[in-house]
Amino acid sequence: MIGAPGRRGPGQRVIDSLPLAVAIALLAGALFVVWEAQGFRLGARLFPVYVGTATALLAAIEVAAQIMARLRPPATPREEEPATADFVADETERTPAFYARGLLYFGWILGLYALTALLGFFYAVPLWVLALLRLQFRAAWLPSFGLALALVGMIYALQVLLMLRWPRGLLPLPF
Amino acid sequence: MLDALVNGLFILLDPFRLAMLFAGVVIGIAVGILPGLGGLMGMALVLPFLFGMDSYAGIAMLIGIAAAVPSADTFPSVLMGIPGSSGSQATIMDGYPMARQGQAARALGAAFSASMIGGIIGALALTALVPFARPIVLAFGTPELFMLTLLGLSMIGVLAGSRPLRGILAAGAGVLIGTIGGAPVAAEYRFTYGELYLYDGISLVILALGLFALPEIVDLLARGGTIAEKRPGLGGGWLQGVRDTVRHKWLVLRHSLIGILIGFIPGMGSSIIDWLNYGYVVQTSRDRSRFGKGDVRGVIAPESANNAKEGGVLMPTLLFGVPGSSAMALFLGALLIFGIQPGPALLRDDLDLVFVIIWSLALGNIFGTLLCLLLSRPIAALTFVPFHFVAPVVIVIVVLGAFQETRHWGDLVMLFTFGLLGWTMKRIGMPRPPLLIGFILSGLAERYLWMSYNLYDWDWIWRPMVLAIFALMVVLMTGGILLKRRQRREQAAPAEE
């Protein structure tokens, strides 16, 4: 069972270590800002130095707290206050399989970027939509084609009506 | 003044001017629905067509855009968890969970009705405050403005729930990201490493789209199915939402007034107003258990403030020629195109025009709300379409919207980077809004602090308004702690019995 004590797989261990990794990255980032800001003029230096120092201190406390929590886990789980700051991912979304699916879709977005870099946004969009719907979701041809064409129409209309521009590709295609 | 009020209405009731106002509302709704595009974009689009147009009609059109965007940007916020514009970020917190529970129409109904009332209160306040506005605007110097930015940052503690340290850390990261680019108080580019793209700093729109849009899209795709998890029709429907607004009428009034007050202060953008109001409603509510999970008060408070603030931002714009927001800077430019010089003389020489603007604001809000209410049912139905058919459309719009910022590939790189960051933050339970608030307030805080220090040394700390804002911060923060303790005691009491 995923998440059961003593039977955590490597994927779950990576997920469990993510908060600590982010806190360490923040600590490193804040220290880098303080160090880098030393070369700025006074007016440009003070604010990043003060904020960077404060952030580094807080990040160090967070890192220490997380290490302590790992070494000595609390006997009873801490009562969580209602989250009003952000959406909270529920337990079913903290599994390696969910993370893998999430990263896969980030990969699809990178795929759109790659196609855009090659063909330009106008041509990349229908190809990408067809590929995503057909290969990833096994959608029927008709709605896939319909959506791809509708999106081409939409981005063309946006260009004409709102004078929006889109990224061009390496290949010298019209639009 | 009463003559000018009536004259203003009759000037606006001319069919062509009314049609232009309505056209502005339609454009405002179109750009509001598209994530990443806001009032500034809408106004910029129509500006080239205003040359040679009747000045009242042109101004009505621009105000129509300004009035409709804060209502229409609720659609993507509620339906997809994506901020339609910078002013609708906090609406996501409860509007989107409501949509996922099958109450999209109710959330939209509440948001639009609160927006309309807020907008009308904003217009009324502008009317009432016109004679007294000057001394109030002049009372805010840079020390007071700095304290207001700190007030915004103090809301992070409220928003960060049981993990305030992670919230404050996120805010620190946001403030540091905000230091990238040209330093506001010295001739120096920071953390740019010779990259021309970074000279202007990171775009707020891209940061917001990256932090909130991409993670939600990816999570919805990873979950599979539709946005809404339950399907009881469209929930209670938009009438239920309107009833919610009526039931929370004092909340609407209170947050409209806060929206006007903060909008009145130049430089306080709609994002700050949005989050500040959300933090305030969470802080002052006795029962906070539903916030973040679909509490309609979390939709009503920021939405009423969001529309009401348009009345507030118009005050410094019209009275002093100081734009209250970036969109108002463009509006100011449009006034100059028409040969109108904003400032105290406007009140003396062309009061009719001031009231045309006020009437346009009120009517624009009504038109905008009615149109949004008409559209809410068909658009809310989108939450029941399998998300893999919606996702490509949203991704394309988000990418296209992000690219409009500077039309540089850096926009897309930043969008992806912040998307991955936002997704990671969501997964580890580090709240994303504090990062955004820190980023927004970073430049302002640095500028105001430096100016205050240069002008007054450290004596600025003892200014009465500074002390008053500081006291307000203390009251809000300690009030929150006391409320939490009281709530815990009340929850513990029945268990002990």
Side-chain angles (χ1 to χ4, degrees), chain A residues 29-30 32-33 36-37 40 44-45 47-49 51-52, chain B residues 172-186 188-204 206-207 410 414 417-418 421 435 438-444 446-447:
Chain A
F32 174 76
V33 165
E36 185 79 357
F40 299 152
R45 187 174 66 223
F47 192 73
V49 166
V51 179
Chain B
V175 174
L176 292 178
I177 293 171
T179 61
I180 295 172
V185 295
E188 182 113 30
Y189 288 101
R190 298 182 296 205
F191 313 111
T192 54
Y193 307 104
E195 278 297 323
L196 200 63
Y197 175 76
L198 294 173
Y199 276 27
D200 275 341
I202 306 288
S203 149
L204 169 63
I206 291 173
L207 185 75
M414 285 295 156
T417 308
F418 288 121
L421 175 70
L435 193 147
F439 175 81
I440 293 163
L441 295 179
S442 177
L444 287 174
E446 183 173 7
R447 192 176 300 117

Side-chain angles (χ1 to χ4, degrees), chain B residues 14-368:
Chain B
D14 171 86
F16 177 68
R17 290 166 188 154
L18 217 50
M20 285 296 108
L21 174 68
F22 193 74
V25 168
V26 172
I27 293 167
I29 288 174
V31 293
I33 288 175
L34 297 174
L37 309 181
L40 183 66
M41 174 78 176
M43 284 193 185
L45 287 171
V46 300
L47 205 59
F49 306 104
L50 296 183
F51 290 96
M53 193 188 274
D54 165 53
S55 61
Y56 293 122
I59 286 167
M61 191 181 203
L62 291 172
I63 295 290
I65 294 171
V69 168
S71 298
D73 61 9
T74 313
F75 278 120
S77 300
V78 168
L79 299 180
M80 286 156 203
I82 298 167
S85 75
S86 56
S88 69
Q89 291 157 8
T91 310
I92 297 173
M93 297 306 304
D94 284 287
Y96 181 54
M98 284 179 78
R100 292 192 64 201
Q101 291 156 21
Q103 298 182 37
R106 181 184 168 195
L108 290 171
F112 295 144
S113 48
S115 293
M116 184 179 78
I117 299 169
I120 292 170
I121 292 174
L124 286 173
L126 183 58
T127 311
L129 282 177
V130 157
F132 317 106
R134 190 183 157 85
I136 302 172
V137 170
L138 291 180
F140 279 86
T142 50
E144 289 77 19
L145 293 169
F146 174 68
M147 289 306 291
L148 281 169
T149 59
L150 287 192
L151 181 70
L153 279 169
S154 73
M155 284 292 126
I156 288 163
V158 179
L159 289 167
S162 56
R163 288 173 174 163
L165 185 56
R166 285 191 188 179
I168 297 166
L169 264 178
V175 174
L176 292 178
I177 293 171
T179 61
I180 295 172
V185 295
E188 182 113 30
Y189 288 101
R190 298 182 296 205
F191 313 111
T192 54
Y193 307 104
E195 278 297 323
L196 200 63
Y197 175 76
L198 294 173
Y199 276 27
D200 275 341
I202 306 288
S203 149
L204 169 63
V205 172
I206 291 173
L207 185 75
L209 284 176
L211 283 180
F212 290 97
L214 290 192
E216 291 319 313
I217 297 167
V218 164
D219 276 357
L220 281 165
L221 282 172
R223 264 183 228 129
T226 59
I227 295 173
E229 289 167 338
K230 294 178 186 170
R231 187 170 185 153
L234 284 176
W238 60 270
L239 263 179
Q240 173 65 36
V242 176
R243 277 197 291 270
D244 286 329
T245 303
V246 175
R247 193 156 52 90
H248 295 292
K249 51 188 175 299
W250 297 115
L251 192 76
V252 175
L253 180 68
R254 184 180 75 181
H255 287 274
S256 300
L257 293 176
I258 296 171
I260 294 161
L261 200 69
I262 304 170
F264 187 68
I265 304 157
M268 293 284 130
S270 47
S271 335
I272 300 170
I273 293 166
D274 208 33
W275 285 114
L276 209 112
N277 275 280
Y278 185 73
Y280 190 67
V281 72
V282 172
Q283 181 78 316
T284 51
S285 298
R286 287 192 68 184
D287 175 19
R288 290 189 265 175
S289 60
R290 293 289 305 154
F291 281 109
K293 294 173 188 161
D295 193 317
V296 78
R297 291 173 297 173
V299 173
I300 291 172
E303 280 303 314
S304 43
N306 200 7
N307 280 55
K309 69 117 187 2
E310 293 300 332
V313 294
L314 271 167
M315 292 175 192
T317 311
L318 293 175
L319 298 175
F320 304 106
V322 176
S325 67
S326 48
M328 281 302 128
L330 213 70
F331 180 68
L332 206 66
L335 287 181
L336 296 172
I337 288 173
F338 291 123
I340 299 159
Q341 184 66 49
L346 188 68
L347 291 177
R348 191 186 59 226
D349 303 334
D350 205 352
L351 203 55
D352 285 357
L353 178 79
V354 174
F355 282 107
V356 167
I357 291 170
I358 293 170
W359 279 113
S360 301
L361 187 64
L363 291 178
N365 268 292
I366 294 169
F367 287 161

Side-chain angles (χ1 to χ4, degrees), chain A residues 18-19 22 26 32-33 36 40-41 43-44 46-48 51-52 55 58-59 61-62 66 78 80-87 89 93-94 98-99 101-103 105-106 109-110 113 116-117 121 125 128-129 132-133 137 143 147 151 154-155 158 162-167, chain B residues 34 41 45 92-93 96-97 159 161-163 165-166 168-169 172-173 175-176 183 185-188 190-191 193 216 218-219 221-223 278 288 291-292 388-389 393 395 397 399-400 403-404 407 409 412 415-416 419-420 423 427-428 430-433 442 446 450 484 488:
Chain A
L18 208 54
V22 171
L26 267 173
F32 174 76
V33 165
E36 185 79 357
F40 299 152
R41 291 186 188 95
L46 289 181
F47 192 73
V51 179
T55 308
L58 292 170
I61 294 169
E62 174 70 14
Q66 286 199 32
R78 192 173 146 204
E80 293 281 322
E81 238 178 73
T84 52
D86 204 349
F87 308 121
E93 296 178 2
R94 289 176 183 163
F98 192 90
Y99 273 70
R101 284 202 299 276
L103 290 174
Y105 293 118
F106 272 110
I109 296 171
L110 278 184
Y113 281 19
T116 303
F121 197 65
V125 165
W128 178 76
V129 169
L132 179 72
L133 291 178
F137 297 107
L147 192 65
L151 271 173
M154 184 191 79
I155 55 175
L158 284 174
L162 299 183
M163 285 174 270
L164 302 189
R165 292 289 177 271
W166 50 70
Chain B
L34 297 174
M41 174 78 176
L45 287 171
I92 297 173
M93 297 306 304
Y96 181 54
L159 289 167
S162 56
R163 288 173 174 163
L165 185 56
R166 285 191 188 179
I168 297 166
L169 264 178
V175 174
L176 292 178
V185 295
E188 182 113 30
R190 298 182 296 205
F191 313 111
Y193 307 104
E216 291 319 313
V218 164
D219 276 357
L221 282 172
R223 264 183 228 129
Y278 185 73
R288 290 189 265 175
F291 281 109
H388 62 260
F389 286 116
V393 181
I395 291 172
I397 291 173
V399 170
L400 202 58
F403 189 72
Q404 303 316 306
R407 297 178 178 178
W409 263 92
L412 303 189
L415 176 73
F416 189 82
L420 215 49
W423 189 71
R427 305 252 72 78
I428 65 168
M430 181 177 264
R432 294 166 291 176
S442 177
E446 183 173 7
W450 185 258
K484 275 180 201 172
R488 274 193 207 132

